[in-house]
Amino acid sequence: MNVTIKSVHFDASESTREFLEERLQKIDFATDKIVDLDFTLTREKDHQFEIEAKLHFRWGLRAVVKTKSYDLNQGIHELVDKVDMKVRKEVEKVQEHKA
């Protein structure tokens, strides 16, 4: 799984990147099912953060998950939870299809 982190309108600190990578351990079960996972962290004019994850699954499916938050770490926490739910749902669909 290739993970990229891009920040827009600010520079993400090393601690923010480490926090995101630490939270990604939650989806370790699916590292062989996800080809690319691209994160875009954007600071908007009202100091709110829009955090987006683009998932590219091995079987060709692409998904986008977004969240907004005034606290970057809280937004990352929420986004990774959403990514986890999306990954579990898609993996379950594929397993049902094979059965």
Side-chain angles (χ1 to χ4, degrees), residues 19-31:
F19 178 71
L20 179 55
E21 290 172 6
E22 180 182 306
R23 290 288 298 145
L24 285 177
Q25 291 176 2
K26 186 171 186 172
I27 60 169
D28 274 348
F29 70 94
T31 56

Side-chain angles (χ1 to χ4, degrees), residues 25-99:
Q25 291 176 2
K26 186 171 186 172
I27 60 169
D28 274 348
F29 70 94
T31 56
D32 61 330
K33 294 168 179 49
I34 301 172
V35 178
D36 293 313
L37 183 53
D38 303 323
F39 288 95
T40 305
L41 315 172
T42 305
R43 175 180 273 158
E44 297 179 343
K45 288 182 180 180
D46 62 354
H47 300 289
Q48 187 174 18
F49 291 96
E50 179 176 291
I51 306 145
E52 176 182 276
K54 294 179 183 174
L55 297 99
H56 304 269
F57 290 95
R58 186 184 55 185
W59 50 89
L61 179 74
R62 292 181 181 201
V64 177
V65 181
K66 295 181 182 182
T67 191
K68 287 188 176 188
S69 177
Y70 285 101
D71 181 355
L72 181 59
N73 285 346
Q74 180 63 32
I76 289 170
H77 187 80
E78 291 172 11
L79 184 73
V80 172
D81 286 345
K82 288 183 178 183
V83 167
D84 179 46
M85 287 190 304
K86 183 67 174 175
V87 168
R88 289 181 190 277
K89 180 180 174 182
E90 295 304 328
V91 167
E92 187 176 300
K93 282 183 186 179
V94 169
Q95 289 174 346
E96 286 176 3
H97 184 69
K98 287 183 179 178

